[in-house]
């Protein structure tokens, strides 16, 4: 089937059982493009035999545009790998745009916040908490900069949550639909939170970046929100980019233009409500 | 007399915010955070060969409030570092 996520289109093809239910639960709201649409990439998920012979665990693998890029994985983990395949396909086939590894949400007043963060920094948990408070969700993986306009392009796909953050977000957003829990992926246990309909419906609407905030969840930190040097934030964003190096001087110019109007901060926190209040009051 | 200049084949992009800036070396594709005096020196060396006294004067004049003034030894070390990054060359053997 084909799916449109904002202005991007991809085709997912599989005969593996059980995928349809999760796909419907997570992507029901997304438009299906006309059959003659040119897709950005194709993901094929297929059975890949069994581990240790006939009685072993069933395996699966995916192809991006017909090319296998990794070792097979447990078939029971097909959904998370389909999501990762979509990330891989998008990240490797969108070099006409600047892609930075960051979550992006938009405040009620229309300014967008980028939340870059190392794994474990609490980026996805904070993002899900903000979305649960009604902020518009643009992405939990990709800050997408359109070089032609310096606008941010939404790419809102289900929020990937890991380990402890699953319970934290379930408590913060008890109404939000979740995928089943997938245990034992290479990132631990993961579950996906469905994107709110309002964010899916506005997926073609660009946003303007106003703040770059580097979050860090740290027990005992209290709340520390400190202004950060724009030059150092720029360097960290470049380091966190999927294709800044590939775009070369164009990548530098893409980021420079966006940075002209942003303010940058470091945020250390141990209380979600306090962190949200701090972000809601950023000048 | 030893002099320094920006490598003629070097292409760079820069942006300054406050006392710091970002320099992108199009040749190496490396991005660097640099302070305003270093950017001033690089701009000066783009125009051609300069002596250590010229460079020192440019550097110290670009300091916001005179704090952090450097001497020849520190400046030569900085120029050597820029040389290792493929940005600056000297006429000394």
């Amino acid at each position: 089937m084909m799916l449109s996520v904002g202005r991007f289109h991809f085709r997912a093809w599989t005969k593996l059982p059980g995928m349809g239910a999760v796909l419907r639960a997570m992507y029901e709201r997304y438009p299906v493009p006309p059959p003659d649409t040119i897709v950005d990439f194709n993901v094929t998920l297929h059975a890949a035999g069994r581990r240790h012979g006939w009685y072993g665990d069933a395996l699966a693998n995916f192809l991006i545009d017909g090319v296998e890029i990794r070792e097979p994985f447990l078939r029971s983990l097909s959904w998370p790998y389909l999501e990762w395949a979509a990330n891989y396909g998008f990240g490797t086939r969108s070099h006409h745009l600047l892609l930075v590894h960051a979550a992006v949400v938009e405040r009620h007043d229309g300014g967008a916040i980028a939340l870059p963060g190392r794994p474990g920094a609490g980026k996805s948990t904070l993002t899900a908490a903000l979305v649960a408070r009604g902020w518009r969700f643009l992405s939990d993986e990709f800050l997408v900069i359109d070089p032609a306009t310096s606008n941010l392009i939404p790419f809102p796909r289900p929020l990937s949550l890991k380990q402890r953050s699953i319970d934290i977000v379930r408590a913060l957003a008890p109404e939000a639909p979740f995928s089943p829990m997938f245990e034992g992926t290479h990132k631990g246990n993961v579950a996906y939170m469905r994107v709110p309909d309002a964010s899916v419906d506005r997926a073609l609407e660009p946003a303007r970046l106003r703040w770059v905030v580097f979050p860090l969840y740290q027990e005992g930190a209290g709340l520390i929100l400190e202004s950060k040097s724009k030059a150092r934030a720029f360097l960290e964003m470049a380091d966190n980019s999927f294709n800044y190096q590939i775009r070369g001087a164009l990548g530098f110019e893409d980021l420079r233009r966006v940075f002209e109007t942003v303010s940058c901060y470091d945020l250390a926190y141990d209380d979600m409500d306090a962190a949200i209040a701090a972000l809601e009051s950023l000048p | 007399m030893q002099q320094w200049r920006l490598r003629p084949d070097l292409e760079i992009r820069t942006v300054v915010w406050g006392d710091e800036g970002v320099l992108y070396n199009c040749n190496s594709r490396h991005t660097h955070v640099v302070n305003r005096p270093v950017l001033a020196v690089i701009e000066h060396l783009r125009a051609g060969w300069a002596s250590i006294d010229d460079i020192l004067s440019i550097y110290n004049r670009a300091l916001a409030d005179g704090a952090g003034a450097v001497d020849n030894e520190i400046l030569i070390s900085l120029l050597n570092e820029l040389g290792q990054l493929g940005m600056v060359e000297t006429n000394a053997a």
Side-chain angles (χ1 to χ4, degrees):
Chain A
M1 70 171 296
M2 280 202 290
L3 270 180
S4 294
V5 180
R7 63 185 239 192
F8 307 102
H9 316 289
F10 65 96
R11 183 181 288 109
W13 188 93
T14 185
K15 281 185 176 173
L16 294 181
M19 296 293 285
V22 189
L23 188 69
R24 272 191 297 281
M26 292 289 109
Y27 284 99
E28 191 177 38
R29 185 80 177 187
Y30 291 72
V32 175
D36 58 349
T37 301
I38 296 172
V39 296
D40 293 275
F41 56 93
N42 297 276
V43 181
T44 308
L45 202 61
H46 64 92
R50 287 179 180 273
R51 183 185 284 167
H52 312 308
W54 183 247
Y55 295 105
D57 298 320
L59 300 174
N61 207 344
F62 62 74
L63 302 101
I64 305 287
D65 292 334
V67 179
E68 207 161 75
I69 56 164
R70 56 158 294 130
E71 295 294 305
F73 43 82
L74 288 175
R75 207 177 293 176
S76 58
L77 303 178
S78 290
W79 181 262
Y81 280 101
L82 178 64
E83 286 289 341
W84 291 326
N87 284 344
Y88 183 91
F90 182 69
T92 52
R93 281 148 176 80
S94 305
H95 298 322
H96 56 303
L97 307 165
L98 182 69
L99 309 178
V100 180
H101 186 206
V104 191
V105 283
E106 186 186 57
R107 214 164 71 173
H108 305 91
D109 60 3
I113 297 187
L115 300 163
R118 286 176 288 278
K123 162 177 72 83
S124 294
T125 317
L126 181 57
T127 302
L130 290 165
V131 171
R133 295 287 179 94
W135 291 42
R136 176 157 77 114
F137 175 66
L138 280 83
S139 177
D140 74 337
E141 284 287 333
F142 293 99
L143 170 80
V144 184
I145 296 172
D146 180 353
T149 61
S150 297
N151 283 336
L152 305 186
I153 305 175
F155 189 52
R157 294 187 17 253
L159 281 93
S160 165
L161 298 166
K162 300 173 205 80
Q163 310 285 11
R164 276 184 56 212
S165 68
I166 298 168
D167 292 331
I168 295 169
V169 175
R170 275 190 205 275
L172 289 166
E175 308 293 318
F178 276 78
S179 74
M181 169 94 84
F182 298 95
E183 297 181 2
T185 78
H186 69 277
K187 293 188 172 183
N189 299 342
V190 298
Y192 293 83
M193 183 175 127
R194 178 174 155 149
V195 178
D197 290 350
S199 295
V200 176
D201 294 347
R202 294 178 63 195
L204 283 168
E205 206 178 295
R208 293 299 287 188
L209 187 63
R210 275 177 59 189
W211 303 279
V212 177
V213 179
F214 294 82
L216 178 63
Y217 175 81
Q218 203 170 25
E219 293 231 3
L223 181 78
I224 305 168
L225 180 68
E226 285 178 333
S227 186
K228 186 182 183 79
S229 145
K230 221 184 222 195
R232 286 169 200 282
F234 184 105
L235 190 62
E236 285 192 47
M237 291 284 273
D239 284 344
N240 273 304
S241 172
F242 295 100
N243 62 356
Y244 174 88
Q245 284 290 345
I246 292 169
R247 285 186 60 75
L250 291 175
F252 173 85
E253 293 297 339
D254 299 336
L255 207 49
R256 181 191 63 75
R257 281 193 297 272
V258 169
F259 259 65
E260 290 299 340
T261 52
V262 303
S263 304
C264 305
Y265 297 90
D266 278 317
L267 171 68
Y269 69 99
D270 62 6
D271 178 79
M272 189 62 80
D273 287 333
I276 292 172
L279 296 179
E280 282 180 337
S281 59
L282 280 177
Chain B
M1 181 178 63
Q2 187 173 11
Q3 293 185 309
W4 289 263
R5 70 173 180 181
L6 224 56
R7 287 178 58 115
D9 63 345
L10 180 70
E11 193 185 333
I12 57 170
R13 307 284 174 97
T14 60
V15 60
V16 181
W17 292 298
D19 294 335
E20 284 183 328
V22 180
L23 181 152
Y24 181 75
N25 181 337
C26 301
N27 297 23
S28 68
R29 297 197 165 202
H30 287 151
T31 305
H32 308 274
V33 171
V34 286
N35 62 23
R36 186 181 280 275
V38 171
L39 281 173
V41 166
I42 287 169
E43 280 306 313
H44 185 72
L45 296 180
R46 199 200 285 267
W49 294 109
S51 69
I52 194 68
D53 291 337
D54 287 341
I55 299 169
L56 190 64
S57 157
I58 293 292
Y59 187 103
N60 287 333
R61 228 175 349 184
L63 289 166
D65 50 9
V70 298
D71 58 20
N72 282 10
E73 197 179 332
I74 292 173
L75 201 56
I76 287 172
S77 155
L78 169 71
L79 291 165
N80 286 341
E81 203 177 321
L82 293 173
Q84 283 166 9
L85 292 171
M87 289 194 265
V88 164
E89 62 184 11
T90 175
N91 61 358

